[in-house]
Amino acid sequence: MKLLLFVLLLTIGLGQSGHAQSIPEGATGIDLQTSTADSSLYRAVQGFLETQDYVIEDADEARYTLATERREEMNNVRIRVLVTVDNGIAHFTAEGRVLVGDTSPEEPFVYKGDTKAGFMVLNRLVDLFAKSFDLATIEYDVP
């Protein structure tokens, strides 16, 4: 039941943002492109993640990179968000586990197989952040 509710909320959220592009199978990251200066975009990403109750574990303002601490999300997803800002683009990736208590090593979330639910959590987060920009575009990284 929780999974159904999560998928329904995710679908509703994506439809409201004007986010017409569907997630391609095998996507490994999400790029949010803006016209914002890197320093401002970096601070916006950091502030946004903190308002979403993510704790910043590692931040390098000189290189515009940051990583959050691991956090439990809906549907037993344990996620760590990684962001790099360059040329007005915030590049988001995530790693973690999908099952609580899973003893396998954490792995990058990819939109396929067992890590699809983790990638959907990242997608929801980026989509929510994108709403704070007038002309931001979202593109998925596919190897």
Side-chain angles (χ1 to χ4, degrees), residues 17-31:
S17 70
H19 182 107
Q21 183 182 7
S22 63
I23 304 171
E25 190 77 15
T28 58
I30 305 171
D31 289 340

Side-chain angles (χ1 to χ4, degrees), residues 61-109:
E61 194 164 346
R63 293 181 22 204
Y64 299 130
T65 61
L66 63 86
T68 67
E69 289 183 352
R70 285 149 187 84
R71 169 186 151 152
E72 298 294 326
E73 283 283 354
M74 294 189 303
N75 297 326
N76 298 321
V77 172
R78 184 171 171 90
I79 186 172
R80 179 177 191 221
V81 179
L82 309 156
V83 184
T84 302
V85 174
D86 186 35
N87 267 347
I89 298 172
H91 175 71
F92 290 81
T93 59
E95 61 187 22
R97 294 188 191 111
V98 176
L99 300 174
V100 173
D102 188 357
T103 57
S104 63
E106 291 190 351
E107 60 184 314
F109 287 145

